[in-house]
Amino acid sequence: MKVRVLAFAQAREALGSGQFEIDLPEGSRVSDALAALERRAVALTPLNPHLAIAVDETLAKRDEALHDGCEIALLPPVSGG
């Protein structure tokens, strides 16, 4: 199945792009997508535990199932004032 990935801030820098598609096996979960993305860019590994993940514009848990054509957004923590 194809999944669209949107990456912001440090996640975009680690992955080298802010928007792209990845292929995952049917039945994949958010955690499977993150593992595939870490294989693509090891620089994402230290950021992974701190990411909020949205699936189709709704915050998701890492065990949430994905579906063909869904959109995953990688949302790094925000700081500032």
Side-chain angles (χ1 to χ4, degrees):
M1 70 179 168
K2 289 201 179 289
V3 174
R4 183 174 176 215
V5 177
L6 301 178
F8 299 94
Q10 302 103 309
R12 179 181 58 231
E13 292 171 16
L15 291 165
S17 179
Q19 183 175 318
F20 53 92
E21 284 189 348
I22 59 172
D23 288 312
L24 296 171
E26 289 294 326
S28 291
R29 301 190 173 283
V30 169
S31 59
D32 299 319
L34 291 171
L37 292 170
E38 283 187 9
R39 287 191 296 274
R40 176 182 173 139
V42 176
L44 187 65
T45 301
L47 186 59
N48 185 349
H50 308 287
L51 292 172
I53 310 297
V55 175
D56 294 333
E57 300 182 5
T58 301
L59 287 178
K61 295 186 178 188
R62 291 173 183 246
D63 63 350
E64 184 169 324
L66 301 174
H67 59 87
D68 187 46
C70 71
E71 179 182 87
I72 299 175
L74 308 180
L75 309 166
V78 177
S79 64

